[in-house]
């Protein structure tokens, strides 16, 4: 399978790494909208201008779209689905239906597969919501995120006057999680599910009390949460908060039996040192499926819901049945 | 979808319950190899002799095979796949490949779908092994069972001279589980992964020391484990150990990054008050998929690996994308 990467940020770099762990894949090139000479990749793979993609269809089986969901992917996915099998990580949940329609039209026209919203949420968490709902019909769903870095919330803090840099961790509330696991079916408010912890580097002489208040009262981002703010030095931030860990849990609790007397808990949990590298691994597995499905004549926009698990694995059906079933 | 149940033990009863939770399904009948008049079902559904199945193809879309893996399913699944879409819970892992071949030939000949080895292990645990292996290519797999009742081990104790009844719990070793979750990649022996706890009702005057020794030294079943034996009264057994709980965890830990510097943990955990009722819920979801796939012209023997998750859900693709993705 010959793979191209469009966009070389954290996700693109993660995909470059992930392809090295998959013997049946080969990285053809990294494509960028910047000047290719300014992009330094980790391997000896060539860096091309994104313009070259107009004429490389015979050299690439699946193109990995590593742009952002805010502005890149709403345009790029449909555009490149007209030329390639593509995989994206579009993660604006509320806009998935419209993204699907736009991309589906393009992929059906080209006869390619466009696999959208791949990653862990949306992605593996979505899959677990679907499986658990199909099994436990009478029950409740819960999704907790963290402990992990929220890029959006970190950025929001950085925009405050007097802040040099910041890192924000989303943390699930342990007592809420325990109530769910104990089948108490709690109804949880935003505040009861997660807390937010912020590590902030302020300018010298900045009004720390004002910064702290601006963070804690920021609508949408922090106002609905119990938020803790720690002011630290730039050295401490770089030393102790350089990583991009994340994770979380999807749970469903449900009842079965003549009178609903039996309780069940299904829990899927991720604990990730590197959010983008793990996301990249999921995208690469779905690139394999996109290629195989397209080889079988399937086209159009697909999500993780449409992919038979066997298509993700490099093993043969016989090996899977013998060793994984 | 019209469903038939063949075999009315714990699993068959669980399926009867599960169908009530699924509006798109209707239970047509319970089929038994016993005298139908001796089988009392929970609902007002008719009980038929299994012989009737030879002529009810137009009334049943999917037949749920609720026999045991030791002697029933190796014959029944292929036999009924010649007439019906079927779902079984064949769980003798080592014999799945031969079961698959036998059933596949029958299902291809009839143009039906035979979904085998459905449940939680094999089944949901297998799926999680496959997904996690496809994502984290460089890593280690761990499966822990329990805390839960092992029917096979309970039966083995009951066969000991002087034992009236018994219940055996399989319990994961917490420290081993913690080592796995901490990405220590431990190599664990059988003894290090699980302990076994036995509640035994002995005949009056029986030699308890001899019974305890026979249990603890029983090859295959107990000799390789740290086993605890409690002698209790029949009243206590009935009061405190009547349930059939089970569960467990599938974990994969793996490395990513340029130098494998980032660790990740994927964990899937089940905590089940009733092993057969949960298994039944999984089978019923896969009955939906078997029916839909066969409607699309697909036939042959399938496992959970071959089923796109969307086929398990009663929701439409649009609803799934809007609410679960």
């Amino acid at each position: 399978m010959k793979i191209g990467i469009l966009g070389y940020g954290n996700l693109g770099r993660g995909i470059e790494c992930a392809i090295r762990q998959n013997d049946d894949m080969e990285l053809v090139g990294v494509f960028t909208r910047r000047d290719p000479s300014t992009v330094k990749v980790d391997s000896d793979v060539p860096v091309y201008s994104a313009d070259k993609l107009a004429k490389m269809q015979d050299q690439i089986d699946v193109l990995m779209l590593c742009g952002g969901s805010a502005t890149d992917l709403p345009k790029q996915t449909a555009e490149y689905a007209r030329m390639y099998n593509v995989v994206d990580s579009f993660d604006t949940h509320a806009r998935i239906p419209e993204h699907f329609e736009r991309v589906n039209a393009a992929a059906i026209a080209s006869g390619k597969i466009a696999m959208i919203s791949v990653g862990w949420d949306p992605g593996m968490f979505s899959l677990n919501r679907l499986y658990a709902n199909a099994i436990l019909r009478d029950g409740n769903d819960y999704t907790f995120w963290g402990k992990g870095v929220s890029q959006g919330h970190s950025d929001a803090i950085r925009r405050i006057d007097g802040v040099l840099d910041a890192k924000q961790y989303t943390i699930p509330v342990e007592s809420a999680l325990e109530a769910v696991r104990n089948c108490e079916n709690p109804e949880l408010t935003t505040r009861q599910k997660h807390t937010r912890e912020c590590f902030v580097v302020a300018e010298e002489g900045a009004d720390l009390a004002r910064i702290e208040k601006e963070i804690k009262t920021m609508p949408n981002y922090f106002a609905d949460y119990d938020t803790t703010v720690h002011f630290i030095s730039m050295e401490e931030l770089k030393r102790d908060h350089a990583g991009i860990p994340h994770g979380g849990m999807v749970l469903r609790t449900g009842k079965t039996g003549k009178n609903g007397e039996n309780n069940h808990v299904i829990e899927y949990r991720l604990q990730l040192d590197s959010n983008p590298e793990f996301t990249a691994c999921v995208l690469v597995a779905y690139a394999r499926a996109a290629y195989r499905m397209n080889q079988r004549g399937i086209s159009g926009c697909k999500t993780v819901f449409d992919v038979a698990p066997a298509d993700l694995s490099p093993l043969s059906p016989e090996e899977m049945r013998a060793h994984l079933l």
Side-chain angles (χ1 to χ4, degrees), chain A residues 60-231:
Chain A
I60 294 171
D61 294 316
V62 187
L63 181 64
M64 314 299 283
L65 304 178
C66 301
S69 296
T71 54
D72 300 331
L73 298 175
K75 289 183 186 174
Q76 285 182 357
T77 309
E79 179 185 346
Y80 290 101
R82 287 194 190 90
M83 300 182 258
Y84 295 94
N85 295 315
V86 297
V87 181
D88 84 15
S89 63
F90 184 79
D91 66 358
T92 313
H93 289 260
R95 297 209 159 156
I96 288 174
E98 63 187 91
H99 188 60
F100 179 91
E101 294 304 333
R102 190 168 46 228
V103 171
N104 192 41
I108 284 182
S110 65
K112 299 292 184 184
I113 290 257
M115 198 75 76
I116 64 161
S117 301
V118 179
W120 60 273
D121 196 3
M124 298 313 296
F125 274 17
S126 323
L127 270 180
N128 277 280
R129 285 188 281 264
L130 190 154
Y131 277 118
N133 272 271
I135 295 169
L136 294 177
R137 300 293 299 134
D138 178 11
N140 292 94
D141 292 302
Y142 298 91
T143 301
F144 291 88
W145 293 276
K147 182 183 176 178
V149 172
S150 166
Q151 211 56 52
H153 288 77
S154 301
D155 289 346
I157 299 172
R158 284 190 205 105
R159 285 192 294 265
I160 293 174
D161 200 45
V163 170
L164 290 174
D165 205 349
K167 207 93 179 220
Q168 191 269 178
Y169 295 90
T170 306
I171 304 169
V173 174
E174 202 57 42
S175 59
L177 195 49
E178 280 314 301
V180 171
R181 286 177 177 149
N182 292 335
C183 297
E184 296 167 21
N185 295 307
E187 295 206 13
L188 299 166
T189 63
T190 299
R191 190 178 299 276
Q192 288 169 325
K193 286 182 71 183
H194 297 96
T195 56
R196 299 196 177 278
E197 190 169 22
C198 313
F199 294 87
V200 181
V201 183
E203 283 172 12
E204 232 186 279
D207 180 348
L208 303 187
R210 190 230 348 128
I211 292 175
E212 179 163 345
K213 193 177 169 199
E214 277 195 46
I215 294 173
K216 289 186 171 178
T217 58
M218 196 185 297
N220 301 320
Y221 286 88
F222 294 101
D224 297 335
Y225 298 85
D226 289 337
T227 301
T228 317
V229 176
H230 309 276
F231 289 98

Side-chain angles (χ1 to χ4, degrees), chain A residues 135-140 142 179-186 252-267:
Chain A
I135 295 169
L136 294 177
R137 300 293 299 134
D138 178 11
N140 292 94
Y142 298 91
V180 171
R181 286 177 177 149
N182 292 335
C183 297
E184 296 167 21
N185 295 307
R252 185 167 171 86
T253 57
K255 294 176 178 303
T256 66
K258 233 167 146 173
N259 306 301
E261 66 274 25
N262 289 315
N263 285 300
H264 307 276
V265 184
I266 304 176
E267 175 171 348

